[in-house]
Amino acid sequence: MTASALSSLLAPRSIALVGASENAARIGGRPLRYLREAGFAGAVYPVNPNRDTVQGFQAYSSIQALPESPDVAILAVPAAATVQAVQDCADRGIGSAIVFSAGFAETSDEGRVMQETIAGIAREANMRVLGPNCLGVFNTRQNFYGTFSAILDTGFIQPGPVSVVSQSGAYGSHITHLARQRGLGIDHWVTTGNECDIDVAEALHWVVAQPDVNVVMAYAEGIRNRDKFIEALEIARERETAIVFMKVGRSEVGQHAVSSHTAALAGSDAVFDAVLRQYGVYRAATTAEQLDVAYAASRGIFPRGNRLGIFTLSGGFGIQMADDAADAGLDVAPMPEDAQTELKEMLPYASPRNPVDATAQALTDLPLMTRFIDAMLDKGGYDMFAGIFGSGPASPTFAASLRQALEDATAGKQDCIKCVTMTAPTEIVRSYEEKGFLIYEDGTALTNALGALVKFRQNFDLAKATKRTNALAAPAAIPQRAISEHEAKAILVAAGIPFPEERLVAPGEDPTAAADTVGYPLVMKIASADLPHKTEVGGVALNLRSPEAVREAMTKMLASVREKAPDAHLDGVILAPMISGGVETIVGVFNDPVMGPVVMFGLGGVFVEVLKDVTFRAAPFDEDEAMRMIRDIRGYAMLEGVRGAQRSDVAALAKLLSRLSHFAAANADAIASIDLNPVMVMPEGQGVRPLDALIVAAAGGEISSHA
Amino acid sequence: MTASALSSLLAPRSIALVGASENAARIGGRPLRYLREAGFAGAVYPVNPNRDTVQGFQAYSSIQALPESPDVAILAVPAAATVQAVQDCADRGIGSAIVFSAGFAETSDEGRVMQETIAGIAREANMRVLGPNCLGVFNTRQNFYGTFSAILDTGFIQPGPVSVVSQSGAYGSHITHLARQRGLGIDHWVTTGNECDIDVAEALHWVVAQPDVNVVMAYAEGIRNRDKFIEALEIARERETAIVFMKVGRSEVGQHAVSSHTAALAGSDAVFDAVLRQYGVYRAATTAEQLDVAYAASRGIFPRGNRLGIFTLSGGFGIQMADDAADAGLDVAPMPEDAQTELKEMLPYASPRNPVDATAQALTDLPLMTRFIDAMLDKGGYDMFAGIFGSGPASPTFAASLRQALEDATAGKQDCIKCVTMTAPTEIVRSYEEKGFLIYEDGTALTNALGALVKFRQNFDLAKATKRTNALAAPAAIPQRAISEHEAKAILVAAGIPFPEERLVAPGEDPTAAADTVGYPLVMKIASADLPHKTEVGGVALNLRSPEAVREAMTKMLASVREKAPDAHLDGVILAPMISGGVETIVGVFNDPVMGPVVMFGLGGVFVEVLKDVTFRAAPFDEDEAMRMIRDIRGYAMLEGVRGAQRSDVAALAKLLSRLSHFAAANADAIASIDLNPVMVMPEGQGVRPLDALIVAAAGGEISSHA
């Protein structure tokens, strides 16, 4: 599976179309028509046993009869004929096949078997397959249209800095249609359908490595190749390519529909969401938002900071945009005092602070408007400028002079991202865009998109500071059976996770010496791989303050456990220091069906129980990322210290999370889950104290034979 | 200020235009042109000393010279000439004046004085004034256009079930322009500007009482007349008129801009937000959302339940809409099993559950689509139906047959709200709308609007169960000075707020008898109006378990307080039972600058300190509303009982909140704030225990002379 394998699919020199039709409205006719009309420069071979030519191209009776082995074969044949067609392609040594037909894994068990057969044939022949149940691909720079998407009926797509990768062909078509209406050019377009071979992750991986891509609009219900996906996100971040993602299936009913649709694996949406944030991908909540953000990012220009200057002719609109800007994390910083005085002198009615309100007066005195905006850009120090103009520019005559006034004011200010809101016909919008302005109809959409640009910039800069974690530590020896608490702790200590020093005392042994070493007060817990739930069997004693208390507690504990769990093998009891103070947190690791090993972090107590205030990261990650993870939670202020409490040792917590993530990644195959609950985060400089550890082996299970 | 006073403004029989201009593009010319072209049936009197006629109407040299006293005078004169013009109108006995000019309170202190002069003249003459700094009004049913809004240059507005009330003229114009593009008709349009007399509240109050109004789009930065506003919301709810509100100034920078704009009072945005929810108003986050929700509500049809059936030709879109529907609180309930079997027999590829995915097959077999949708509406029991059609209907030929197929399927199903998403030209959209379909381009916008309709229905039904609280209890005697804890408790007990029984023991008195009555363990607190912060002066002792301990504590406490606050007058000490168990909450009352007496509720501890998890209601409200208030908070599960804890006595808490709200409303003028912190909510059936009470009198203040 080399990059060139996908190149045969996405940048082919020769194309076969199996099931080619003379009727340019049919699925087997459309791609041929598109290739012809767009002027694809390579060879096109229609396969049709009944005709000499199809749509003017010389036709061939079969795949075997082709004069050469083409880079890609488009299969426009029914599901029942697909297995044979794929076999023929494989036999002919074709690089890639695109399978349009539905009726596979999404439909029935029989279809699933056919799909697996196709995948097997392709794997064996080292041939790549896109689909089945997909709408194909296009590459506008090569005029290559391997698709039957009907959106091309109303015109081809202009090449441009946007690419589209979508599991759903219908969604991919729709967003592309909307992008075209918005004036956006698109280079590559890939729809992956049922993904029997190539998935969204691999398509994304190929697309983000192409030159001149500033933004990718992606759609997925789930991801099959986690490592490829994360690598694609890392490459995109390094290359400063913005990804704007529509991930569906976040609701229960949506997840149910996902599994009945493309039969994609449905992992946790919260984990998927966290991973997108982790790698700086923008997750769009709506299709409109996906387009609005992609439009802003399509220029490939991202602001240095988050300062926004707002210019308005109406106070109300200015207030609305100031609110929206605050929501989007932008800084509506006031103009310097002297500049405010200057503006006030120009127009006493004006509000010169920011939003700068020049009132409707500025519309009747355009030179005044130019001077106002010029002053904002010269003296405000803004990274972004937004002018609110409503339907003013809609008048064709006025549009030109207003545009000129704006152009004059912004000339030479290349560093500042310049935006205008207006309700105007497309041709007027385009005339402003040609002068470098981003145009939005809705102010909220604009500020949201600007906020996204700021976050992209921050994440791109982050990538420069982050090394890619290709090298994992050597795996540890994880027993594939029930693992006791003290075993788990020993494994984790070896991985660099700090635990309070503790002692194991075997049954029959006197605990006094061990207790003296640990120090008082202390905690006693039963030590047994068979008893993950210790409290229920009387296996926990807190706050023991003397040798006598320890001896007595040990006798009582062993008796209680032997009575309640007679079959459990007992290693003895653990003695550990009783920790007081600190903020209670919980840390965990689990294998997400989609995202693989994932680290979870949250505050303990009501935060996790009532508010489900937890966050996730795909493993592994560094300490900086762990710091961002910690700051994700709503109750973060608890760690900053509330009501005069000391700040907690967040750095030590970040170190623990990062180390645990490396351990989880290196041992992903051997571990089902890890729980550190609670982890007490002590005051700054005093570290963290995990008080319990549970490791469930991949092939071990928490449930022992005695449970 | 009778209703008819606003009728002279909004439904006048005769109009004067002061500053009338022959130039129909000028502010003094536009209204005349609009009245002429629209064909206003009443008398129109231009006032212009220099002309015999203006735009074909007979002109008059002055207001005094008018042949009758018109209902309304539109003043299109500069700020400097406005005071005299208003005086002339008052002298002539004119009912209402509309002041267009800016340059008043929003500009300078001098302008503020002029504005107050205008308001004074009007008040004295019993004349109503709209503005200054406003864009006027229109009433399309009467062809009355008292505005210079430029949106009318491109055509008049059709009458219809929507009304617009906006502080900002520019915003009101913009949303009206967008509504027109959307095909919505508008009856009344009022912009209030600086609101020297008539404010948004009063305009809303008038508009919601008009016949045939289904929805009002409102915009405000703040409200001046709180009682009128809340009464308007109550009337709207009773008449089943939906209000979709754009309230700006929610951010700090936005609030700052509000105060420099129309100089409106900026109360707490969180309080405003809570009051809108309390009365069933939909607060729009964006202008697009305001329009989308108003469009859905414009039919005046609200669903009985929240069940949504989704029909799609593409799995991906179905999943996306299912997610969005879940976010909007809609129930994407599955089709009955037998109906699913039936659909699967019709089309084996289909997903028959819900979303119902008939695949692209249904586009080539429209009778199949009809049968599918027919089955959904017949057997699914859905309150709402949404079909996802993308750009399918955009083809003019196909649109008709597709529309027919949808019409056939939905014929006779009047109870179900029918919606379609499509990207199509306006005339095609209108053709579907005429058949009763709501049309959206974006599926998220659609589901959000449907969720809003469900909430409107719930709130309208609520209004039927809620009596309006016109009659307040008689005010209590609230001392206008510092009020001690035991005084505050006595006042609140009289108002029906239950406190644990306590005893006041005077200095020098033996506390034993009182302690025995209260019972052990108990709490002792210093009793002094001068010491609101008791802990700091050693004025609190907890968990006293014997007569000796009580005596000792009293001696120590009096000594400590006398030393630390020698000037405080001491009433003695309060003995109260030590309460254990229960969930800690906080309850408060304060006077919001905009919304007046407001009750606050939240959970104690980290919920309020870290998460600011509090909610508000305008006082007074009933126990049902108090229940909704309690459920508002994020940590509500704490009161339901977490981790096996008992459910708390939420009913008793609701009763306390409602009673406190009535007390706060009845004594709004006498009280600045009330704090009950903490209020322990005991297990179900065991009531609530407020442990402390602080009342700050309006003219008293917390700070005593000794502090």
Side-chain angles (χ1 to χ4, degrees), chain B residues 135 370 502 536 543 558 591 677:
Chain B
L135 232 52
T370 297
E502 62 181 35
E536 297 161 13
N543 208 18
L558 290 173
N591 265 300
N677 183 8

PDB file of all heavy atoms in Angstrom, chain B residues 135 370 502 536 543 558 591 677:
ATOM      1  N   LEU B 135     -36.110  54.369  13.216  1.00  0.00           N
ATOM      2  CA  LEU B 135     -36.440  54.267  11.800  1.00  0.00           C
ATOM      3  C   LEU B 135     -37.946  54.227  11.582  1.00  0.00           C
ATOM      4  O   LEU B 135     -38.408  54.008  10.461  1.00  0.00           O
ATOM      5  CB  LEU B 135     -35.785  53.000  11.219  1.00  0.00           C
ATOM      6  CG  LEU B 135     -34.940  53.170   9.967  1.00  0.00           C
ATOM      7  CD1 LEU B 135     -33.906  54.256  10.147  1.00  0.00           C
ATOM      8  CD2 LEU B 135     -34.243  51.865   9.596  1.00  0.00           C
ATOM      9  N   THR B 370     -43.673   7.504  -2.772  1.00  0.00           N
ATOM     10  CA  THR B 370     -45.000   7.828  -2.232  1.00  0.00           C
ATOM     11  C   THR B 370     -45.444   6.769  -1.233  1.00  0.00           C
ATOM     12  O   THR B 370     -45.931   7.088  -0.146  1.00  0.00           O
ATOM     13  CB  THR B 370     -46.021   7.943  -3.379  1.00  0.00           C
ATOM     14  OG1 THR B 370     -45.637   9.018  -4.226  1.00  0.00           O
ATOM     15  CG2 THR B 370     -47.426   8.206  -2.833  1.00  0.00           C
ATOM     16  N   GLU B 502     -35.642  28.173  66.442  1.00  0.00           N
ATOM     17  CA  GLU B 502     -34.441  28.617  67.142  1.00  0.00           C
ATOM     18  C   GLU B 502     -34.844  29.536  68.287  1.00  0.00           C
ATOM     19  O   GLU B 502     -35.977  29.977  68.384  1.00  0.00           O
ATOM     20  CB  GLU B 502     -33.495  29.312  66.162  1.00  0.00           C
ATOM     21  CG  GLU B 502     -34.086  30.566  65.522  1.00  0.00           C
ATOM     22  CD  GLU B 502     -33.131  31.208  64.538  1.00  0.00           C
ATOM     23  OE1 GLU B 502     -32.399  30.472  63.853  1.00  0.00           O
ATOM     24  OE2 GLU B 502     -33.110  32.445  64.469  1.00  0.00           O
ATOM     25  N   GLU B 536     -15.936  35.889  61.308  1.00  0.00           N
ATOM     26  CA  GLU B 536     -14.731  36.713  61.479  1.00  0.00           C
ATOM     27  C   GLU B 536     -14.538  37.239  62.902  1.00  0.00           C
ATOM     28  O   GLU B 536     -13.428  37.547  63.318  1.00  0.00           O
ATOM     29  CB  GLU B 536     -14.777  37.906  60.517  1.00  0.00           C
ATOM     30  CG  GLU B 536     -14.777  37.472  59.057  1.00  0.00           C
ATOM     31  CD  GLU B 536     -15.282  38.583  58.153  1.00  0.00           C
ATOM     32  OE1 GLU B 536     -15.391  39.737  58.605  1.00  0.00           O
ATOM     33  OE2 GLU B 536     -15.561  38.277  56.975  1.00  0.00           O
ATOM     34  N   ASN B 543     -21.950  22.404  66.700  1.00  0.00           N
ATOM     35  CA  ASN B 543     -21.934  21.070  67.283  1.00  0.00           C
ATOM     36  C   ASN B 543     -21.807  21.072  68.811  1.00  0.00           C
ATOM     37  O   ASN B 543     -21.036  20.301  69.365  1.00  0.00           O
ATOM     38  CB  ASN B 543     -20.751  20.298  66.638  1.00  0.00           C
ATOM     39  CG  ASN B 543     -21.028  18.805  66.613  1.00  0.00           C
ATOM     40  OD1 ASN B 543     -22.189  18.384  66.754  1.00  0.00           O
ATOM     41  ND2 ASN B 543     -19.973  18.017  66.464  1.00  0.00           N
ATOM     42  N   LEU B 558     -19.449  35.936  73.462  1.00  0.00           N
ATOM     43  CA  LEU B 558     -19.743  37.338  73.788  1.00  0.00           C
ATOM     44  C   LEU B 558     -18.442  38.104  74.050  1.00  0.00           C
ATOM     45  O   LEU B 558     -18.274  39.239  73.600  1.00  0.00           O
ATOM     46  CB  LEU B 558     -20.675  37.421  75.006  1.00  0.00           C
ATOM     47  CG  LEU B 558     -22.120  36.945  74.731  1.00  0.00           C
ATOM     48  CD1 LEU B 558     -22.931  36.894  76.038  1.00  0.00           C
ATOM     49  CD2 LEU B 558     -22.799  37.861  73.716  1.00  0.00           C
ATOM     50  N   ASN B 591     -32.231  42.669  43.070  1.00  0.00           N
ATOM     51  CA  ASN B 591     -32.913  43.538  42.116  1.00  0.00           C
ATOM     52  C   ASN B 591     -32.050  43.718  40.891  1.00  0.00           C
ATOM     53  O   ASN B 591     -31.026  44.394  40.942  1.00  0.00           O
ATOM     54  CB  ASN B 591     -33.212  44.887  42.757  1.00  0.00           C
ATOM     55  CG  ASN B 591     -34.618  44.919  43.324  1.00  0.00           C
ATOM     56  OD1 ASN B 591     -35.591  44.744  42.582  1.00  0.00           O
ATOM     57  ND2 ASN B 591     -34.737  45.117  44.623  1.00  0.00           N
ATOM     58  N   ASN B 677     -28.291  31.052  52.684  1.00  0.00           N
ATOM     59  CA  ASN B 677     -27.091  30.309  52.320  1.00  0.00           C
ATOM     60  C   ASN B 677     -26.437  29.729  53.554  1.00  0.00           C
ATOM     61  O   ASN B 677     -25.898  30.478  54.349  1.00  0.00           O
ATOM     62  CB  ASN B 677     -26.128  31.234  51.574  1.00  0.00           C
ATOM     63  CG  ASN B 677     -24.879  30.517  51.108  1.00  0.00           C
ATOM     64  OD1 ASN B 677     -24.781  29.295  51.200  1.00  0.00           O
ATOM     65  ND2 ASN B 677     -23.917  31.273  50.628  1.00  0.00           N
TER      66      ASN B 677
END
